[in-house]
Amino acid sequence: MSDILAIADHRRGELRDVSYELATAGRQLADATGGELHLAVISGRVDEFADKLNREGVDAVHTVDHGEEFNHDVYTQAIGQLYEALNPRYVLAPNSVNGLDYAPAVAARLDLPIVTDTVDLELDGERLIATREMYGGKVETTNELDAGAALATIREGEWPAAEGSGDATIEAADVEIDEGAVGSTVTGFEEVAGGDVDITEADLLVSIGRGIEEEENLDLVRELADALGATLSSSRPIVDAGWLPANRQVGQSGKVVTPDVYVAIGISGAVQHVAGMKGADTIVAINTDPNAPIMDIADYAIVDDLFDVVPALIEEFA
């Protein structure tokens, strides 16, 4: 009982990034337990998803071909049967809308302790040490699970995505879904306040904070975003002021983003905002305060007035 079972996440025909992050988190735990990493993909285009999930470090991918979209009852049944067949030590799930829907039910069904929204997982002897954040990221807590097995959900953006091609075994799981126990079905989707862009898909983000001072000054930053071919985003105060729509907000109460480059302009770097963008490959910060928290995580820090720096950047890249 040393293997790890991780459950992939998908929506409307697309694997979500957290699926590849689950592979990394699962591999790290499997290395600690001396076991294998098994990924499960349930419903949707399972064969296509399985090929994409065959990344370095994945030992096996199990497919459950049943329906196109997430269904609570299908997932709980499928994961329960996979758990009984594979007998893993730990089960990992995404801390997503879907993951938080089925994870408690699966934990109850399998009589497993559960810890949610983890930002780090490590093994200390026979104990699983799960790190979580509380009070908007101001406090970090550790949870020690002494049980021989457990279920944990991981926060998106906290682990790097698994890369490289693997040589995993891909097979259809021996799972039988009791249709009589499936109490609901997806009949369609309705987008709610989706907005004009999805900042989570952007490779380059230019993000603005309180330092912009006035709404009229947003045009300057928009000009920079256009020159760079970037997407415009912001911290919460800009959205609260009504200067940008909610779908542009980065942070714990907004969206978690992992772009190649994140340019933070006039953003101090409150923990709630940092929680949403610290997974960026490269962070560039422009701020007049050299002691602003954003400077601690920035790869490149420009200590200067944004109203001097931004026009210079526009001139350089336009």
Side-chain angles (χ1 to χ4, degrees), residues 50 75-76 86 110 114 122 148 183 193 213 218 223 226 234 236 257 281:
Y75 267 62
T76 53
L86 298 172
L110 300 176
I114 180 173
E122 61 181 26
E213 297 179 359
L218 278 174
E223 190 176 350
D226 290 342
S234 76
R236 180 171 180 171
V257 297
D281 288 343

Side-chain angles (χ1 to χ4, degrees), residues 7-9 16 18-19 21-22 92-104 114-119 132-133 151-159 252 256:
I7 314 301
D9 203 28
R16 299 180 72 83
V18 71
S19 297
E21 295 162 13
L22 279 160
L92 300 183
N95 200 69
S96 62
V97 171
N98 289 349
L100 291 175
D101 181 298
Y102 66 76
I114 180 173
V115 58
T116 61
D117 198 25
T118 61
V119 297
R132 303 177 73 244
E133 292 180 345
L151 188 155
T153 68
I154 74 165
R155 181 186 295 180
E156 184 178 3
E158 295 296 329
W159 280 264
Q252 204 164 48
V256 175

Side-chain angles (χ1 to χ4, degrees), residues 122-139:
E122 61 181 26
L123 210 59
D124 181 11
E126 294 300 308
R127 297 178 302 168
L128 178 66
I129 309 298
T131 302
R132 303 177 73 244
E133 292 180 345
M134 300 178 65
Y135 304 112
K138 294 183 176 66
V139 176

Side-chain angles (χ1 to χ4, degrees), residues 271-287:
V271 290
Q272 293 90 340
H273 183 78
V274 170
M277 45 68 71
K278 63 183 179 182
D281 288 343
T282 302
I283 298 171
V284 180
I286 303 171
N287 203 295

